[in-house]
Amino acid sequence: MARLLTVGAAQLGPIQRDHTRAAVVERLIALLHQAASQHVELVVYPELALTTFFPRWFVEDIAEADHWYERSMPNEATQPLFDEARRLGIGFCLGYALLDGDGHRWNVQTLVERDGCEVATFKKVHIPGHEHHEPDRPFQHAERYYFEPSPDGFGVWDAFGGRVGMMICNDRRWPESYRVMGLQGVELILCGYNTPIHYVPDPSQDILQGFHNALVMQSGAYQNGTWVVGVAKGGVEEGVDSLGQSLIVAPSGQIVAQALSTDDELIVARCDLDWCRRYKETLFDFTRYRRPELYGIIADTGD
Ligand code: CDT
């Protein structure tokens, strides 16, 4: 019997600076209701889904940015989402900024099962952008100021009837992200993103944003025999245009669903997790065909 899981990628349009958590949570719940009407079992929301993409602004005193971070999950603002998802029997994956009890700042995604139990909270591994204020930029991308990189790396969890992994935005551009999860038998990778169309260090890449987005997720899916769900916060947010084009990719590398707008939009795919075996047990039978003894340089830290 096929292991079928109906997955929804709940793309968000822009969240402006003055939009309250309560208003955003209402939008998340509206998408959840659409998902319920299409018998979706797992809804995936974008990176930093509760606020605007605040790393576009620099503050001298980082404490001035504390209000963008969650202190716990769920909390008062997000409890209605957790309650409604549990009532509907839908699991979800939610991206947000976390300021933990030890004062560490993380860019995270929390995965919640259909019964409301937390599966895991994943911390972003590859933190892009810059550490310091760069006054010549039209907007900042100071993620390296606002977030620490994960010390944990990429895990995979038994959930939703399969092996589920997570990555966040820039992680999707790195083949190692997929491969580390692939080596743990991943069957479904969940990835939220915020990708400005304008790439300040090399604007010649602007026109290629959509191509690169699909390229990395399609190749990562195929080369590791896994489903990949990529979910954008798109549209013009505080004057910065960001990529939509949320997509769901099959283990064949084919796109089976893609968002058409840059607004709040749900796309849905019925994912057969057993499809992964067609690739994991043939072309990408790692045990049979990989040559790890020749790949040492990939993980060499140069120490
Ligand atoms: N959020 C995030 O990681 N965005 C990056 C933007 C490019 S680096 C400035 C991305 O990889 O899409």
Side-chain angles (χ1 to χ4, degrees):
M1 214 173 70
R3 284 179 300 140
L4 294 169
L5 182 72
T6 305
V7 178
Q11 176 175 287
L12 289 177
I15 300 174
Q16 308 302 348
R17 187 182 190 121
D18 60 354
H19 291 179
T20 63
R21 299 278 203 295
V24 174
V25 167
E26 268 184 38
R27 287 164 62 184
L28 302 182
I29 291 174
L31 287 160
L32 196 65
H33 287 155
Q34 276 186 45
S37 70
Q38 295 182 59
H39 309 289
V40 169
E41 296 157 279
L42 168 61
V43 170
V44 186
Y45 296 109
E47 176 191 35
L48 298 181
L50 295 172
T51 64
T52 198
F53 190 77
F54 64 87
R56 75 169 61 91
W57 297 293
F58 197 86
V59 289
E60 285 299 333
D61 178 1
I62 201 166
E64 287 172 34
D66 284 0
H67 63 102
W68 297 121
Y69 296 77
E70 312 306 310
R71 305 298 185 120
S72 59
M73 192 57 63
N75 54 34
E76 200 183 329
T78 57
Q79 192 64 55
L81 171 68
F82 279 70
D83 291 345
E84 191 61 358
R86 186 173 174 184
R87 188 185 72 78
L88 294 167
I90 299 177
F92 65 93
C93 178
L94 179 70
Y96 58 95
L98 176 67
L99 176 51
D100 74 16
D102 297 321
H104 294 287
R105 298 168 189 275
W106 310 106
N107 187 342
V108 302
Q109 279 177 181
T110 292
L111 179 62
V112 178
E113 255 289 6
R114 292 157 286 193
D115 62 1
C117 290
E118 178 178 327
V119 176
T121 291
F122 165 79
K123 300 181 177 101
K124 187 171 180 173
V125 171
H126 301 94
I127 309 289
H130 49 102
E131 290 84 357
H132 306 291
H133 188 234
E134 296 190 2
D136 292 338
R137 284 175 171 260
F139 55 88
Q140 305 292 299
H141 197 108
E143 277 197 70
R144 295 179 69 82
Y145 177 63
Y146 287 111
F147 300 117
E148 291 177 45
S150 168
D152 307 322
F154 297 100
V156 167
W157 296 271
D158 288 320
F160 296 92
R163 299 273 287 166
V164 183
M166 291 185 270
M167 60 186 181
I168 300 178
C169 195
N170 192 259
D171 289 331
R172 77 195 190 285
R173 301 189 192 272
W174 299 87
E176 293 86 353
S177 310
Y178 305 85
R179 183 50 52 95
V180 169
M181 289 187 263
L183 288 167
Q184 299 173 79
V186 76
E187 295 173 318
L188 176 65
I189 298 178
L190 314 177
C191 178
Y193 61 89
N194 284 256
T195 295
I197 301 287
H198 181 40
Y199 183 58
V200 179
D202 177 15
S204 75
Q205 296 181 28
D206 295 4
I207 199 169
L208 301 172
Q209 289 292 357
F211 167 63
H212 288 157
N213 185 54
L215 176 73
V216 291
M217 289 193 270
Q218 289 184 261
S219 53
Y222 167 63
Q223 291 167 346
N224 294 279
T226 181
W227 289 87
V228 175
V229 183
V231 191
K233 172 139 64 64
V236 182
E237 192 179 85
E238 295 293 341
V240 177
D241 197 5
S242 293
L243 187 71
Q245 299 186 19
S246 299
L247 41 72
I248 300 176
V249 186
S252 58
Q254 291 166 291
I255 295 173
V256 297
Q258 184 157 26
L260 300 176
S261 75
T262 50
D263 295 325
D264 293 10
E265 179 180 346
L266 182 78
I267 58 168
V268 175
R270 195 137 167 79
C271 303
D272 178 1
L273 300 177
D274 281 335
W275 192 349
C276 302
R277 290 177 45 208
R278 288 171 172 259
Y279 290 85
K280 290 185 192 296
E281 295 180 1
T282 59
L283 265 165
F284 298 112
D285 180 340
F286 289 165
T287 312
R288 186 170 184 193
Y289 297 121
R290 275 179 78 246
R291 300 290 312 282
E293 71 277 15
L294 302 180
Y295 307 155
I297 195 171
I298 288 175
D300 188 349
T301 59
D303 296 339

